[in-house]
Amino acid sequence: MVKQLLSESQQDYLKIVLDLINEKKVARTKEIAHRKGVSMPSVTEAMQKLSQENYVQYSAREFIELTPKGEEAALRLTSKYAFLKHFLVDVLGIQDEIADKDACKLEHHLNKSTLDRFILLYQFLTECPKSDKRTINLFKECIKAAEGDFLCDSDCKSCFISSNFPHRFGEKTIHTLLSKLNRGQKGRVIMLGPDSEIRLSLIDKGLLPGSEFHVEEIGDANRPFVVQTDGCLIELDEEAAKMIEVAIEQPE
Amino acid sequence: MVKQLLSESQQDYLKIVLDLINEKKVARTKEIAHRKGVSMPSVTEAMQKLSQENYVQYSAREFIELTPKGEEAALRLTSKYAFLKHFLVDVLGIQDEIADKDACKLEHHLNKSTLDRFILLYQFLTECPKSDKRTINLFKECIKAAEGDFLCDSDCKSCFISSNFPHRFGEKTIHTLLSKLNRGQKGRVIMLGPDSEIRLSLIDKGLLPGSEFHVEEIGDANRPFVVQTDGCLIELDEEAAKMIEVAIEQPE
DNA sequence: TTGGATAATTAGGCGCGCCTAATTAAATTA
DNA sequence: TAATTTAATTAGGCGCGCCTAATTATCCAA
């Protein structure tokens, strides 16, 4: 007995079919194609294959239905997806359409035990009596600050660039801002400031918490800083450099 | 000018090449094949393609090197990967090998803004002066409890199954355990208890926080509970039913 | 009831990422 | 240096998931 696993695409089809049956009583080729963003022949082909493996009840030009096996699979997938979307939207504050896509990806790719840890984190933040209920609200203030909404009564902006906890990057390190370093110094990124646009560009360039770097050129208001992370040169203007909190070795 | 994007597989190749160059100075077909878990011809083919698009310097039987373009790409990917693994291991406490795989998947599939939110959450939990530094430690106790390690001085086990915060599932709901419901009642899952094995099986069956269900049959120590989530029947023994905290509509 | 619109399917093809088998080049060692 | 081992490549093929074009079935309205 060979255990046939569903491909990612097949999983998507099953979820879509379930959704359509719930919403509109019947699942039609055209609508499935539309939701999945593929052509109708692709749907026909997929349904034929799924029907061979007994996930759907399908014969040409008749209603597409889920078999018990297919329904079970679809429901498992859907509930994982629903939780993940929930987490992304409610805890992380991700925008709806992006959360949709990412929840779907996560549902496909996350290991069981990792999913469980996300559930645990969710439970912890929203329900655990030991965790301060304010925690999640504080985090939401952070999000607002990161989105540039400083109208909120938090002073997160300064918090982002002035924390100085000793941290996991070693005992003998001190924390400062990248903008204060000299040429030749090495360090490790601890935090990125909240400014949304710069933040995202830094992330895109690969300068994330935990990244090691080396200062190639120091800059000022007119010239850019140039830092290297493992060989990749990144230019930063002063504004960006002031947003990057770093850990450096204690100078002797 | 067509913007050629790297496929998932190509991204993996670039990361592996970068790793090998850093570790062993040179990247060899055989070693790449081994790390990626593919055959050598697959590597050759991939390198030829990557070299066409100017990500690697490649000619038959010579050393494989990264072009600046390839190195930049590899570094971006690697630093995202590194952060994500970091997050999975340090915050969520995921096991090393699983974290490796999942970080890789996340790196491929997470939207930029979602990645940013994970960074924000990480920063918040580990650095933000407003969040109680104990928060993350409390969460780690939760993890221990969920792993069945009740030797830790936390009383998380009871916490898991006795919280009664009003929560987002509506104002007029009350919280109880699934084991206390009668046949025919509907409810929504709030929390799952910490027992690792049962927990994972519930998650696998699709009974996650947020799932709606309907009690088909009530059970006791000898007979199983049967609940339905959107049409999928799930059998639960009493032990499991006692681990599921649910929200139900306030009975009139 | 019949012709036109719409929906669904079949036929044929394509790119990607992988494979095995066969071949060739390079490195090692007798 | 010749023989052998090891590494890398070429050749040819496969399955998956998608596509377009052409065909067929179904529905609806004149």
Side-chain angles (χ1 to χ4, degrees):
Chain A
M1 152 114 189
V2 182
K3 175 149 190 181
Q4 286 287 6
L5 288 183
L6 290 160
S7 75
E8 201 169 320
S9 178
Q10 287 178 313
Q11 293 180 28
D12 289 335
Y13 280 115
L14 285 184
K15 283 192 290 183
I16 291 170
V17 171
L18 178 67
D19 281 353
L20 284 171
I21 290 175
N22 285 336
E23 279 173 42
K24 316 200 165 178
K25 308 291 179 221
V26 290
R28 289 180 200 287
T29 303
K30 195 186 179 188
E31 186 66 16
I32 299 171
H34 178 246
R35 294 217 181 171
K36 181 133 206 285
V38 298
S39 68
M40 291 206 289
S42 304
V43 177
T44 302
E45 192 184 337
M47 292 304 126
Q48 286 167 346
K49 207 166 265 180
L50 284 171
S51 124
Q52 267 171 33
E53 282 159 35
N54 201 33
Y55 287 97
V56 301
Q57 177 75 46
Y58 171 86
S59 27
R61 286 167 221 277
E62 285 179 19
F63 289 139
I64 294 164
E65 295 186 77
L66 291 171
T67 63
K69 181 182 175 187
E71 186 169 15
E72 191 191 314
L75 285 164
R76 286 181 188 210
L77 297 169
T78 300
S79 59
K80 281 171 199 166
Y81 165 81
F83 167 77
L84 286 163
K85 180 167 174 194
H86 198 65
F87 180 87
L88 293 178
V89 172
D90 292 359
V91 176
L92 298 188
I94 308 290
Q95 215 182 310
D96 203 75
E97 311 90 69
I98 297 176
D100 262 336
K101 284 182 202 155
D102 282 11
C104 189
K105 294 297 186 180
L106 290 175
E107 179 256 294
H108 287 312
H109 296 290
L110 277 196
N111 183 284
K112 221 170 169 176
S113 67
T114 309
L115 172 62
D116 184 34
R117 282 301 152 78
F118 277 107
I119 294 175
L120 205 58
L121 180 62
Y122 173 78
Q123 291 190 169
F124 173 75
L125 290 174
T126 62
E127 300 287 339
C128 180
K130 295 184 111 185
S131 86
D132 193 325
K133 282 199 283 178
R134 282 170 305 176
T135 301
I136 195 158
N137 293 324
L138 285 171
F139 179 57
K140 283 181 178 157
E141 282 184 21
C142 265
I143 291 178
K144 274 197 197 162
E147 281 172 343
D149 178 9
F150 293 114
L151 298 176
C152 74
D153 62 356
S154 82
D155 53 352
C156 278
K157 183 159 192 170
S158 60
C159 132
F160 264 103
I161 50 177
S162 67
S163 80
N164 61 345
F165 294 118
H167 187 47
R168 59 185 301 288
F169 297 111
E171 293 304 312
K172 288 189 174 171
T173 58
I174 56 171
H175 288 210
T176 181
L177 298 182
L178 197 147
S179 58
K180 295 189 179 157
L181 297 188
N182 296 317
R183 181 193 303 213
Q185 282 191 284
K186 282 191 286 190
R188 196 153 188 171
V189 176
I190 302 260
M191 290 188 98
L192 305 175
D195 181 294
S196 220
E197 201 179 320
I198 299 178
R199 202 180 145 89
L200 282 178
S201 89
L202 293 174
I203 290 170
D204 197 44
K205 286 171 184 160
L207 215 54
L208 278 70
S211 301
E212 285 180 351
F213 63 85
H214 177 261
V215 181
E216 298 290 315
E217 297 288 344
I218 60 165
D220 56 32
N222 303 311
R223 289 170 308 141
F225 284 79
V226 181
V227 302
Q228 189 200 55
T229 48
D230 299 293
C232 181
L233 291 179
I234 298 175
E235 290 197 354
L236 305 167
D237 60 24
E238 199 185 13
E239 194 188 358
K242 279 184 176 169
M243 274 183 41
I244 304 172
E245 190 189 332
V246 300
I248 54 173
E249 293 290 308
Q250 189 82 265
E252 311 294 302
Chain B
M1 151 112 192
V2 181
K3 175 152 189 177
Q4 287 287 7
L5 288 182
L6 290 161
S7 75
E8 203 169 317
S9 178
Q10 287 177 313
Q11 293 180 28
D12 289 334
Y13 280 114
L14 285 184
K15 282 192 291 184
I16 290 170
V17 171
L18 178 65
D19 282 353
L20 283 171
I21 289 174
N22 284 335
E23 280 172 40
K24 317 200 166 180
K25 307 291 179 222
V26 289
R28 287 182 201 287
T29 304
K30 196 187 180 189
E31 186 66 15
I32 298 171
H34 178 246
R35 295 216 179 173
K36 181 132 206 283
V38 298
S39 67
M40 292 205 290
S42 304
V43 176
T44 303
E45 193 185 336
M47 292 306 127
Q48 286 167 346
K49 207 166 265 176
L50 284 171
S51 125
Q52 268 171 33
E53 281 159 37
N54 201 32
Y55 286 98
V56 301
Q57 178 74 45
Y58 171 85
S59 28
R61 287 168 219 275
E62 286 179 17
F63 289 139
I64 295 164
E65 297 187 74
L66 292 170
T67 63
K69 180 182 175 188
E71 185 168 17
E72 191 191 315
L75 285 163
R76 287 181 188 211
L77 297 168
T78 299
S79 60
K80 281 171 199 169
Y81 165 81
F83 168 77
L84 286 163
K85 180 167 175 194
H86 197 65
F87 181 86
L88 293 178
V89 173
D90 292 359
V91 176
L92 298 187
I94 308 289
Q95 213 183 310
D96 203 74
E97 310 91 68
I98 296 177
D100 262 336
K101 285 183 202 155
D102 283 11
C104 188
K105 293 298 184 176
L106 290 175
E107 178 256 293
H108 287 313
H109 296 289
L110 278 194
N111 183 285
K112 220 171 172 175
S113 67
T114 308
L115 172 61
D116 184 33
R117 283 300 152 80
F118 277 106
I119 295 174
L120 204 58
L121 180 62
Y122 174 78
Q123 291 190 170
F124 174 74
L125 290 173
T126 62
E127 299 288 340
C128 179
K130 295 183 111 187
S131 86
D132 191 324
K133 281 200 280 175
R134 283 169 304 175
T135 302
I136 195 157
N137 292 324
L138 284 172
F139 179 56
K140 283 179 179 158
E141 283 185 20
C142 266
I143 291 177
K144 274 196 197 163
E147 281 172 344
D149 179 9
F150 293 115
L151 299 176
C152 75
D153 61 355
S154 82
D155 52 352
C156 276
K157 183 160 191 169
S158 60
C159 131
F160 263 103
I161 51 177
S162 67
S163 81
N164 62 346
F165 293 121
H167 187 50
R168 59 186 301 287
F169 298 110
E171 293 304 313
K172 289 188 177 173
T173 59
I174 56 172
H175 288 211
T176 180
L177 299 182
L178 198 148
S179 59
K180 296 191 179 154
L181 297 188
N182 296 315
R183 181 196 301 214
Q185 281 192 283
K186 282 189 287 188
R188 198 154 188 172
V189 177
I190 303 261
M191 289 189 102
L192 305 176
D195 180 295
S196 221
E197 202 180 318
I198 298 178
R199 201 180 146 88
L200 283 177
S201 89
L202 294 173
I203 290 170
D204 197 44
K205 287 172 183 159
L207 215 55
L208 279 69
S211 301
E212 285 180 352
F213 64 85
H214 178 261
V215 181
E216 296 291 315
E217 298 288 343
I218 60 166
D220 55 32
N222 302 310
R223 290 168 307 141
F225 284 79
V226 181
V227 303
Q228 188 202 55
T229 48
D230 299 292
C232 182
L233 292 178
I234 298 175
E235 289 196 356
L236 306 167
D237 60 24
E238 200 184 10
E239 196 189 356
K242 279 185 175 167
M243 273 182 43
I244 305 172
E245 189 189 333
V246 301
I248 55 173
E249 293 290 309
Q250 188 81 266
E252 309 296 303

